[in-house]
Amino acid sequence: MQKILSTTAKELLLLVRDRAGLLVLFIMPAILVIVITLVQENILALSGQRQTEVLLLDQDGGVFASTLLSSLRQMKISVHSPEQGEDLQRLIADGRYQAGIIIPAGVSRRLQQEMASRLAAGDHAIDGTPDTASLSILFDPGAMAGFRAGILSRLQMAARAAEIEMLAQELGHSLQARLGRLNPGAPSPLQADDSLKQTFSHSFTTITEQPTTTGTATISDIINPVNQNVPAWALFGMFFTAIPIAGTILAERRSGIAVRLAGIPVSPLQLLGGKITAYLCVCLCQFLLIVLIGIVLFPHLGLQAFTLPENPMVLLPLICACSLAACGFGTFLGSVCHSYEQASTLGSTMVVIAAALGGVMVPVYAMPQMMQRLSILSPLNWGVNAFLDLLVRGKDFLAIGHDLARLLTFFAVMVILSWKRSSR
Amino acid sequence: MNPRDPGQDPAIQTAGLIKKYRLADRPALTGLDLTIGRGEFFGLLGPNGAGKTTILSILCGLRAPDGGTVRILGMEYRRQQRRIQERIGIVPQEIALYDQLTARENLIIFGRLLGLGGGRLKERTGYCLEIAQLHERADHRVASFSGGMKRRLNLVIGLLNAPSILFLDEPTVGIDTQSRHLIHRQLQGLHAQGTTLLYTTHYMEEAQELCSTIAILDEGRILRQGPPARLLQESACHSLEELFLGLTGKQIRDI
């Protein structure tokens, strides 16, 4: 035990004195989690879950335009008008706004005429769909497809709402005129208030998002980019410990320390155990740092705070399993590479690929089918899945058993392979 | 001699030692027989590729031979590896130190790995710093040391466990005269105390000055072995270098 502890103390001492290494291990994942969470907050805006800004050129100035405008605002779209002399096309093309809507002149008048004539026609339906309210929408060429689809769908809903409101108004006028013809001089039942218009514009169907529950846990409140990003990017940072681990193994081999160590009465497994214990502590500190950022710093940046499960200790075995998997990968890297440069290039590339496949950068469900099948091979996928099960899906410890087993098996296989290779 | 009494066995004894590397054209060792008595200062000389490092790594237990036997203080690696390792010290050719740790921290870490602790560790660390003349720089990082200081520290780490046999692989390569002189003095002191030393070097004068016995090795076998003075007398050579070149040739060996 003394030999393992000595190796652990030595590794921690070496790490503390390696500022560049510390930067990679702690600052890099901290910056990543902050930047990515802030960026994803903005992506939510683009997909309609947060306030979106669009440009609107109102050449109509009528009831249709004003109703459309108020509907868009209700749909969390912040509408801006171009300043005098500013060209909407140019503003969009320059990327200052991602979408611009043009309401041509006379739309309200034409719509009113069309509705009135259709109502007047009664049973004699008018064939065809007249192009009475043709709106134009322009997108920044760089706008994402999801953003375009979201804006288009909300614009269609707002236009439909404006049409219904106008139709209700026209119907009121039409009924009033017909009743007046039947009984001249009688007051109209619709004249006193706007009840018909209100009835038409009222939505009778409501859609309510139900909180998803698993067992006793209610989890709708904790689904946010913070709770998804914090464990995912902490895991990403933890796997980067593979590079300094490989670096220490290679440095010992290059400097002759490995020869000295091989000649003293200490087993390779004790040496490896000491190294892994040191980096296990590093990984725990990394995770703690990222969680603290999520809890303390994020609310100051306008983000939601990271939510820990009711019993945070349930995370500990998972963090340990993920750390061991990362350490195992590091020892394997150290045993197969011939130089630090090789280990850092190979290691960082493999971690980034495993992170991409594992759903750290893009959720697995958003990947093509083939990639979804491949993602099961990534240890980061097992880790991310288990963290999401505990933190977001409200599952208990037993539910992540298979992911824990996979991570620990990966660790064991990596250590055995590196031990075999070192013994050659 | 009672073979069961390890106290009476030679320090190092090999018989029919064979080693062949996978991609090599010829074996590195071809049935090497070597006996080094206790308390000897044994110099192993040979051109590049002669098999010096191979012998040293087999004797230190870092490599297993393909054939033959090795006994260290009467013990075999197969059965008593840990006991052998507790009684030997290794000084690698490379500077095998942690650059970012201080001299004292390096000594303490290797000492603990050797199983030392408490007062014994403190005593051995102090002794090693003293004989390496590094007391004043004990708490400075090795990265700030000169080549000579690093070599001295590299040497004394091999002495932490007060070994019965010390294996030294070219311990004075590329250092200043003062440091070399100090290392020579310390090695002679160890020899005087009864430590067995197995020493490889390319410096003939050094071997002639320090070693009680030398062996000239080439192509995996020993060409000559004996005390330097006797070898010179038998060969009628004026210097060890003349004898060495006469036996191994003047052709440069690049491996």
Side-chain angles (χ1 to χ4, degrees):
Chain A
M1 196 61 189
Q2 184 203 338
K3 292 179 180 180
I4 294 178
L5 290 177
S6 300
T7 311
T8 304
K10 177 257 296 177
E11 291 296 335
L12 291 173
L13 203 55
L14 285 171
L15 197 63
V16 165
R17 293 186 185 163
D18 176 14
R19 287 182 195 162
L22 285 178
L23 206 70
V24 170
L25 290 179
F26 289 97
I27 308 298
M28 188 265 299
I31 291 174
L32 268 176
V33 76
I34 294 169
V35 171
I36 300 291
T37 311
L38 285 167
V39 166
Q40 288 203 348
E41 184 76 0
N42 203 41
I43 286 174
L44 286 178
L46 299 183
S47 63
Q49 294 177 47
R50 298 280 187 278
Q51 191 84 10
T52 309
E53 295 190 345
V54 300
L55 207 53
L56 188 135
L57 180 61
D58 180 11
Q59 295 171 334
D60 176 47
V63 63
F64 176 78
S66 64
T67 319
L68 183 84
L69 204 63
S70 97
S71 296
L72 286 173
R73 282 182 178 142
Q74 282 171 14
M75 293 173 187
K76 289 186 186 172
I77 292 182
S78 174
V79 181
H80 299 268
S81 300
E83 299 289 319
Q84 204 163 11
E86 277 186 327
D87 179 17
L88 180 135
Q89 293 247 18
R90 170 62 58 84
L91 290 170
I92 301 296
D94 288 350
R96 286 171 61 187
Y97 287 88
Q98 274 63 55
I101 300 163
I102 301 171
I103 306 175
V107 166
S108 298
R109 185 179 41 78
R110 286 201 300 277
L111 269 173
Q112 279 167 336
Q113 285 172 356
E114 178 66 21
M115 286 171 181
S117 64
R118 285 190 175 234
L119 288 168
D123 294 337
H124 310 289
I126 297 168
D127 291 334
T129 308
D131 186 18
T132 45
S134 177
L135 308 182
S136 301
I137 184 157
L138 294 91
F139 285 110
D140 170 8
M144 293 193 304
F147 171 76
R148 288 170 189 238
I151 293 288
L152 269 175
S153 111
R154 280 186 281 172
L155 181 61
Q156 276 164 354
M157 281 166 65
R160 189 72 192 127
E163 282 172 12
I164 288 169
E165 203 166 317
M166 287 177 71
L167 190 61
Q169 208 162 8
E170 283 310 313
L171 186 60
H173 292 317
S174 169
L175 283 173
Q176 193 176 341
R178 287 185 192 193
L179 287 170
R181 278 201 296 275
L182 290 172
N183 188 10
S188 166
L190 301 170
Q191 214 168 23
D193 53 41
D194 284 339
S195 60
L196 188 64
K197 185 179 150 188
Q198 280 172 14
T199 306
F200 269 86
S201 60
H202 178 76
S203 175
F204 293 94
T205 311
T206 56
I207 302 169
T208 312
E209 189 181 345
Q210 287 290 324
T212 312
T213 56
T214 308
T216 54
T218 301
I219 56 178
S220 62
D221 291 344
I222 51 178
I223 299 175
N224 63 59
V226 172
N227 270 20
Q228 290 167 335
N229 280 333
V230 164
W233 289 99
L235 197 61
F236 184 68
M238 280 151 78
F239 267 80
F240 261 88
T241 55
I243 294 167
I245 293 175
T248 63
I249 292 171
L250 287 162
E252 285 177 351
R253 208 193 299 160
R254 194 188 59 234
S255 67
I257 291 172
V259 171
R260 198 192 281 285
L261 292 172
I264 60 181
V266 55
S267 81
L269 285 178
Q270 280 176 313
L271 294 171
L272 210 54
K275 218 177 264 292
I276 287 170
T277 309
Y279 281 91
L280 185 66
C281 297
V282 170
C283 289
L284 291 174
C285 292
Q286 266 184 333
F287 196 85
L288 190 66
L289 172 75
I290 305 288
V291 164
L292 281 177
I293 287 173
I295 293 172
V296 180
L297 182 66
F298 278 6
H300 295 290
L301 298 175
L303 299 166
Q304 283 176 273
F306 177 69
T307 319
L308 279 168
E310 274 179 36
N311 176 16
M313 291 311 285
V314 79
L315 293 176
L316 194 61
L318 177 57
I319 301 168
C320 289
C322 291
S323 308
L324 289 173
C327 293
F329 176 57
T331 57
F332 176 71
L333 207 57
S335 69
V336 294
C337 290
H338 298 288
S339 67
Y340 180 76
E341 290 72 23
Q342 201 180 33
S344 61
T345 310
L346 188 67
S348 49
T349 308
M350 288 178 80
V351 170
V352 169
I353 290 172
L357 268 180
V360 171
M361 296 162 185
V362 176
V364 173
Y365 63 76
M367 294 180 192
Q369 278 294 316
M370 191 191 73
M371 299 303 281
Q372 287 189 25
R373 279 196 292 273
L374 281 177
S375 74
I376 199 82
L377 300 174
S378 165
L380 275 92
N381 174 259
W382 312 330
V384 168
N385 240 340
F387 274 117
L388 291 182
D389 278 348
L390 292 179
L391 292 167
V392 177
R393 298 186 188 113
K395 290 189 184 174
D396 60 13
F397 183 72
L398 288 177
I400 62 161
H402 62 288
D403 284 322
L404 276 181
R406 281 175 179 166
L407 287 161
L408 293 173
T409 308
F410 176 78
F411 162 69
V413 169
M414 290 287 110
V415 169
I416 290 167
L417 286 178
S418 28
W419 179 51
K420 288 263 178 201
R421 188 156 172 96
S422 308
S423 313
R424 270 164 45 180
Chain B
M1 186 171 77
N2 179 4
R4 287 182 179 277
D5 178 4
Q8 300 302 310
D9 284 312
I12 297 164
Q13 192 168 33
T14 73
L17 212 56
I18 295 168
K19 182 72 190 176
K20 176 149 183 7
Y21 293 108
R22 214 155 31 110
L23 300 173
D25 302 333
R26 54 192 171 79
L29 298 177
T30 51
L32 186 96
D33 298 317
L34 181 69
T35 301
I36 301 174
R38 293 190 183 216
E40 265 194 79
F41 196 141
F42 195 92
L44 203 54
L45 309 178
N48 288 335
K52 297 188 301 290
T53 305
T54 304
I55 294 178
L56 213 59
S57 46
I58 290 172
L59 295 180
C60 295
L62 307 177
R63 280 182 204 282
D66 295 326
T69 57
V70 180
R71 293 176 79 82
I72 306 290
L73 301 164
M75 298 178 279
E76 287 184 55
Y77 274 108
R78 275 183 307 177
R79 294 179 191 158
Q80 291 162 293
Q81 178 163 357
R82 187 161 284 248
R83 280 194 61 198
I84 296 174
Q85 285 175 328
E86 280 167 358
R87 297 193 56 191
I88 64 168
I90 300 174
V91 180
Q93 186 179 341
E94 300 89 357
I95 305 283
L97 304 168
Y98 292 104
D99 255 12
Q100 293 308 313
L101 302 186
T102 66
R104 193 189 305 280
E105 286 165 349
N106 267 285
L107 285 164
I108 288 172
I109 279 161
F110 285 111
R112 283 195 182 137
L113 291 176
L114 281 160
L116 305 177
R120 173 86 174 134
L121 177 62
K122 201 173 170 186
E123 178 216 316
R124 292 303 298 173
T125 302
Y127 166 77
C128 289
L129 286 169
E130 189 187 317
I131 64 163
Q133 294 191 1
L134 288 171
H135 254 311
E136 286 180 11
R137 301 291 298 273
D139 297 311
H140 288 72
R141 289 193 199 177
V142 171
S144 69
F145 284 10
S146 68
M149 291 162 80
K150 287 180 183 175
R151 277 278 166 209
R152 273 142 51 200
L153 184 61
N154 200 40
L155 167 72
V156 295
I157 286 175
L159 302 177
L160 270 165
N161 57 336
S164 302
I165 304 175
L166 185 62
F167 294 97
L168 302 114
D169 193 3
E170 301 186 34
T172 56
V173 171
I175 57 167
D176 60 294
T177 312
Q178 283 78 8
S179 290
R180 177 174 298 167
H181 179 69
L182 178 70
I183 289 175
H184 287 181
R185 261 187 22 226
Q186 299 305 344
L187 294 179
Q188 283 167 330
L190 289 168
H191 183 216
Q193 288 164 25
T195 308
T196 307
L197 295 113
L198 177 59
Y199 190 88
T200 74
T201 183
H202 283 293
Y203 301 127
M204 299 297 148
E205 313 81 43
E206 194 172 274
Q208 196 169 345
E209 180 197 335
L210 295 173
C211 301
S212 55
T213 308
I214 60 163
I216 297 175
L217 184 81
D218 201 10
E219 296 182 344
R221 60 199 171 88
I222 291 173
L223 304 177
R224 290 282 190 285
Q225 183 180 335
R230 201 188 79 201
L231 289 180
L232 289 176
Q233 197 181 17
E234 284 174 1
S235 61
C237 289
H238 299 294
S239 67
L240 205 53
E241 186 168 319
E242 191 185 340
L243 172 65
F244 182 82
L245 290 173
L247 289 169
T248 60
K250 291 184 180 172
Q251 200 178 351
I252 289 177
R253 311 280 183 92
D254 290 326
I255 55 159

